Amino acid sequence: MPYAGTIVSHDLSLHTGLVLPDGNEQAIAFTEGDVLNWQRTAPLFGQRVSFEVVQTPHGYAAVQMFLLEQKKPRSLESRDFIAALITPLLVAGTTYALSHYLRVPLIFAYIPTINFVSFMMMLLVSQSSRGQRPRLAEFMVVTLAFCGGAPAIWVAVFFSGARLRSEGMFLLMAALVVMQAIALKKYFPEVFDWHTWAYFFLKSEVTLKKLPPL
């Protein structure tokens, strides 16, 4: 059950504080790590928060805390929006460029591209604190996973501090990796032959050497 209250104490050195629930005279302890959407650009003291209460060996503690009426910096919102907007264009453009200039089949250009972009997008999402509402960039990460970027996102989950780092997300990515591997094996079996990759890699090196200098 969520509660609302006000942070009445915050010790920066101990990274802990006290939150006073509305209509209650007993403050409850919390740690900074439980304030999920704190950007660390403003003091916690005096902030209005929503939270849940759990029983610990040391008494009650506030967890799953969210700063109320907390707006993300405009620069962060703009960065997320722009990244989510250009991601499909980046995947399509890079895939075409690799296929055209290196003269490899589209599938051999698409797989590295979608996974590299997915990994970078996941790292971008993980740089921001979690909020109550999903972000456009998070939806884009999930979309990339279904489009073939699941292996890279599955790896990036281990380095992520975002809401996407969860057991459910880990299992979903693992399932997508298996399904995508089966689909590739059925429709593009050459992808699993390292001789084919070596051939295209060597051919690409020759092609690049023939390109005129910039």
Side-chain angles (χ1 to χ4, degrees):
M1 175 182 175
Y3 296 89
T6 304
I7 294 178
V8 295
S9 174
H10 177 213
D11 191 319
L12 291 172
S13 61
L14 297 177
H15 307 291
T16 60
L18 295 173
V19 56
L20 184 65
D22 293 344
N24 199 318
E25 297 182 355
Q26 181 64 44
I28 303 174
F30 72 90
T31 61
E32 288 180 356
D34 288 312
V35 187
L36 302 181
N37 65 335
W38 182 38
Q39 302 294 334
R40 299 182 181 273
T41 57
L44 286 175
F45 179 78
Q47 293 272 15
R48 294 281 299 165
V49 294
S50 65
F51 59 94
E52 296 181 6
V53 178
V54 297
Q55 177 73 54
T56 72
H58 305 289
Y60 290 105
V63 296
Q64 295 293 319
M65 300 177 66
F66 289 95
L67 299 176
L68 300 177
E69 300 178 358
Q70 173 81 355
K71 295 183 179 179
K72 291 189 294 184
R74 185 173 298 274
S75 60
L76 179 59
E77 293 180 347
S78 300
R79 185 188 68 178
D80 280 5
F81 179 78
I82 293 173
L85 185 65
I86 68 173
T87 293
L89 300 177
L90 182 62
V91 172
T94 305
T95 299
Y96 173 79
L98 289 176
S99 176
H100 178 74
Y101 290 106
L102 301 182
R103 298 181 181 180
V104 299
L106 281 174
I107 189 64
F108 285 87
Y110 178 76
I111 291 176
T113 299
I114 189 69
N115 280 278
F116 176 77
V117 173
S118 298
F119 187 83
M120 298 306 296
M121 194 67 178
M122 186 66 176
L123 293 184
L124 173 67
V125 169
S126 69
Q127 290 177 1
S128 305
S129 300
R130 294 183 290 183
Q132 289 177 296
R133 293 182 298 179
R135 294 153 47 198
L136 180 60
E138 293 174 339
F139 283 118
M140 181 54 66
V141 166
V142 176
T143 302
L144 289 170
F146 279 92
C147 292
I153 296 176
W154 183 72
V155 173
V157 166
F158 293 101
F159 307 98
S160 172
R163 121 185 33 245
L164 297 179
R165 182 176 182 175
S166 64
E167 183 177 351
M169 185 66 172
F170 178 82
L171 293 176
L172 174 62
M173 291 303 107
L176 285 176
V177 168
V178 173
M179 289 188 292
Q180 289 170 7
I182 293 174
L184 284 174
K185 185 66 176 177
K186 180 177 181 180
Y187 297 104
F188 302 97
E190 64 273 16
V191 169
F192 293 90
D193 186 352
W194 72 269
H195 293 91
T196 308
W197 285 95
Y199 169 75
F200 285 126
F201 177 76
L202 294 175
K203 189 176 79 168
S204 299
E205 280 192 335
V206 174
T207 303
L208 287 174
K209 291 178 180 178
K210 292 181 179 180
L211 291 176
L214 297 176

